[in-house]
Amino acid sequence: MSTSDQVRAILGGTIQAYRGEPAYRHRPEVFYELERIGGRLNEPIRIALAGTLKAGKSTLVNALVGEDIAPTDATEATRIVTWFRHGPTPKVTANHWRGRRSNVPINRSAGLTFDFRALNPADVADLDVEWPAEELASATIIDTPGTSSLTRDASERTLQLLIPPDGVPRVDAVVFLLRTLNAADVALLKQIGHLVGGSAGALGIIGVASRADEIGAGRIDAMLSAADVAQRFTREMNQTGICQAVVPVSGLLALTARTLRQSEFVALQKLAGVDSATLNKAMLSVDRFVRVDSPLPVDAGTRAQLLDRFGMFGIRISIAVLAAGVTNAAGLADELLERSGLVALRRVIDQQFAQRSDMLKAHTALVSLRRFVEVFPIVATPYIIADIDPLLADTHAFEELRLLSQLSCRPTTLNEDEIVSLRRVIGGSGTDPASRLGLSPGDVYGHEGPRAAFAAAQRWRRRAEHPLNDPFTTRACRAAVRSAEAMVADFAARGFDASDVRPG
Ligand SMILES: Nc1nc2c(ncn2[C@@H]2O[C@H](COP(=O)(O)OP(=O)(O)OP(=O)(O)O)[C@@H](O)[C@H]2O)c(=O)[nH]1
Ligand SMILES: [Mg+2]
């Protein structure tokens, strides 16, 4: 029985138990809540983007979706939690504090904005955007107001979503954007980690070193220094034991790459044709670049638009890419997308969240249900908790996720090489057998896969028994044994058996 099925079974039993309690029989809201917990198992995973004020959250939402749908900068909407879900046609609904819902007109003149004229933002609990974007079919993305001590009200809304006072998680995973690492961010991350992963450790948080193109002040090597900064972030964040990975990303560059216009390509091509002395001089600063009397062969209005869409770094990198011989808009878009860090971020999101979305959702459901039966106690509460707790503790996929985040911050007696392969076996580079065993997808279901899985199980069993291990090292090695054994069993179930394999 899959973990999700086990969760469904526990939920079914819980609903029965509440039906049998006279005190709750006529309280439909209790059953509504239980059904909501169960219903979420069938919905796409919920990923919230959070971080400090102006970290670039809304821009990154747009880059991930590939369309300009999250309002950026100082509109009222940036101060309200906004849910982006897949839907057949564009539709924006405001959920008001006392349960009323109202339709919000969409204004598409300059980028997308929501028409708030008929609304009082203070009265809106959150916004629900349905949009026919393919990217939203597998994940619901939640844009949150930036946290800062200056905007208490907006910060409060984010905290209510990420650290709800009732302890019932609203989201399954978090992408946390940081431009610097300060004590307030770390404290907030710790609180979030506690809730998302339960007390036993974080399950789903990815860090993003955001607006990475600005780190090198628009220089061509900005993304290189961004990678350095991300590495430092990673080390520091790892010491907090919260994030599984930190990735440098320029959301602005990614969004522009995904929505690149032919006219922009043409303008950049003209700039790329300018001799380098003139170009360097004209691009010494933003002010110079947008000057009306600039010698550049592109009018000032277009230059200002380019700056808005690409940033200084994006323009420089585009010119360099074009000078290196890229001749069409699609080629330029691909290069920019790769350099923006979005490709890397999506890979990490896929490895850490998408491939494990059932597990993350099951985890959310268990934590929510546990909380629910404590708040609304019935005779069966201790029995329900006795069903939930072993599942939370023993589900191997949860243990893999906890270890993936803890491996980087807890001392072990493993050497670097061992840590790399252990991380891989427990799914740190992807949960499919090829990724876990470091084989190509073509080889894994031949002779190679079963043999490698069998060897991994033996290797980690031996390593788990090493007399100098501390308890954490032993625990990690045992988890690797379990992951490898699960693969051996899976290969056997598919008709591949390691013991049958002859050298060949
Ligand atoms: N250079 C650069 N600018 C960016 C990037 N991402 C966002 N910006 C700019 O930063 C400003 C804020 O971006 P938003 O996406 O609105 O940031 P946010 O975190 O949603 O802001 P709040 O919701 O108000 O906290 C805008 O002017 C963006 O154009 C980036 O990757 N690079
Ligand atoms: Mg925003």
Side-chain angles (χ1 to χ4, degrees), residues 207-287:
V208 163
S210 69
R211 299 177 65 162
D213 56 293
E214 292 176 323
I215 291 170
R219 288 200 320 270
I220 203 97
D221 58 351
M223 293 303 279
L224 291 179
S225 28
D228 287 347
V229 172
Q231 253 178 11
R232 209 183 64 226
F233 269 9
T234 313
R235 264 199 309 280
E236 289 176 32
M237 304 247 281
N238 279 340
Q239 279 155 14
T240 67
I242 305 166
C243 294
Q244 286 132 9
V246 184
V247 192
V249 179
S250 165
L252 184 71
L253 201 56
L255 175 62
T256 302
R258 292 194 71 181
T259 55
L260 188 70
R261 301 166 193 144
Q262 184 63 25
S263 59
E264 291 169 335
F265 172 75
V266 171
L268 288 164
Q269 244 185 347
K270 283 189 192 152
L271 293 178
V274 174
D275 71 274
S276 59
T278 313
L279 192 64
N280 285 342
K281 213 165 143 202
M283 291 193 70
L284 270 176
S285 70
V286 168
D287 288 346

Side-chain angles (χ1 to χ4, degrees), residues 6 25 36 43 62 104 142 163 186 188 196 235 240 254 258 274 277 300 314 350 356 409 423 438 464 480 493:
Q6 280 174 290
R25 222 171 274 160
R36 222 168 53 107
E43 288 174 19
N62 290 330
V104 183
I142 303 128
I163 315 167
V186 172
L188 179 63
V196 174
R235 264 199 309 280
T240 67
R258 292 194 71 181
V274 174
D350 182 55
R356 302 178 194 265
C409 59
R423 285 189 83 94

Side-chain angles (χ1 to χ4, degrees), residues 57-58 71 78 143-144:
K57 300 173 292 293
S58 305
T78 66
D143 190 11
T144 65

Side-chain angles (χ1 to χ4, degrees), residues 417-439:
D417 235 26
E418 288 175 323
I419 290 198
V420 170
S421 47
L422 193 143
R423 285 189 83 94
R424 211 174 44 217
V425 167
I426 63 174
S429 317
T431 57
D432 59 295
S435 309
R436 288 175 186 264
L437 296 169
L439 296 174

Side-chain angles (χ1 to χ4, degrees), residues 307-327:
L307 194 62
D308 211 38
R309 288 257 300 157
F310 291 75
M312 214 53 179
F313 168 78
I315 296 175
R316 288 214 171 93
I317 203 83
S318 303
I319 292 175
V321 166
L322 293 176
V326 167
T327 54

Side-chain angles (χ1 to χ4, degrees), residues 7 23 38 87 108 155 163 176 199 203 259 266 322 344 350 364 473 481 483:
V7 175
R108 287 201 200 223
S155 301
I163 315 167
F176 199 91
S199 52
L203 282 195
T259 55
V266 171
L322 293 176
D350 182 55
T364 305
T473 304
V481 173
S483 302

